[in-house]
Amino acid sequence: MIDTLLNVMYDYTGGGGMKQTIKQLRRSKGITQKDMAERLNMSLYAYRKIEKNPAACEIKSLLAVGNVLNVPITDIFLFHNITNSNNQHS
């Protein structure tokens, strides 16, 4: 069920903003890629693959990233669209 919901959200948001979203959320919290990799118990290379192409990783990896960033997974999908929408109205 959650996979279906996330796939629909990915299709709706265009998916391309996810990598920028993860990067923006991580940077906004002052967390480096190395810190993320350590907190996720993975290599730096493996984390960089998630950030480079989150659409290709497993849902459980995105959930773990959301947990480390202390954001719901929906923010990973929607944050990019929200910030773009806010910038257009400024």
Side-chain angles (χ1 to χ4, degrees), residues 10-84:
Y10 176 80
D11 290 341
Y12 175 75
T13 61
M18 275 197 309
K19 62 184 169 186
Q20 287 301 101
T21 298
I22 293 172
K23 187 182 215 177
Q24 288 173 337
L25 288 168
R26 175 181 56 77
R27 285 183 169 175
S28 75
K29 295 179 182 288
I31 302 171
T32 66
Q33 287 183 331
K34 182 180 177 189
D35 293 336
M36 287 293 293
E38 288 172 0
R39 293 178 188 187
L40 293 166
N41 294 320
M42 62 176 56
S43 70
L44 179 57
Y45 176 77
Y47 176 73
R48 284 182 174 159
K49 283 177 55 177
I50 290 173
E51 199 167 284
K52 183 177 181 180
N53 190 9
C57 69
E58 295 181 11
I59 296 301
K60 68 180 182 178
S61 296
L62 291 177
L63 288 168
V65 167
N67 286 336
V68 170
L69 296 174
N70 199 29
V71 296
I73 194 167
T74 52
D75 285 7
I76 292 173
F77 286 92
L78 301 176
F79 181 78
H80 178 74
N81 288 340
I82 292 168
T83 55
N84 282 346

